[in-house]
Amino acid sequence: MRQLAQGGASSREIAKEVGVSKDTVLRDLAQPDDIATARAALRAEKLAHAEETVRQAGAAAQAVIDARPSHQITDDATARRWCGALRAAADALAAQADAFAEYYPCATG
């Protein structure tokens, strides 16, 4: 953020580039360098964790698709359990996708 600000970018432009609010940019630019550096490192760590988690979710979904549980012969109790678990996971992921799209409307356009 500091490099963008030193390059003449406005707080609004920096916020859009970095993916945070304008208030976050203003607050971070007002902090001493050591605090700003620590916060930037924490944000980068959280971003990397989110990236890996989304990648893992995609891999898990593909593993379920490849296993084709709906084509397996099983008892009724297991079928109900699998169906419930798949629906719960799908609902939870859909809620996260909706929240993401609400926060980042450009991601769904």
Side-chain angles (χ1 to χ4, degrees), residues 69-70 72-87:
S70 61
Q72 305 303 319
I73 298 173
T74 188
D75 60 275
D76 289 348
T78 300
R80 279 192 297 277
R81 185 170 46 83
W82 286 358
C83 187
L86 289 170
R87 291 213 183 276

Side-chain angles (χ1 to χ4, degrees), residues 41-56:
L42 181 59
R43 269 194 304 279
E45 184 180 317
K46 287 181 177 182
L47 181 63
H49 177 71
E51 180 72 32
E52 178 60 16
T53 302
V54 170
R55 188 199 64 74
Q56 289 175 2

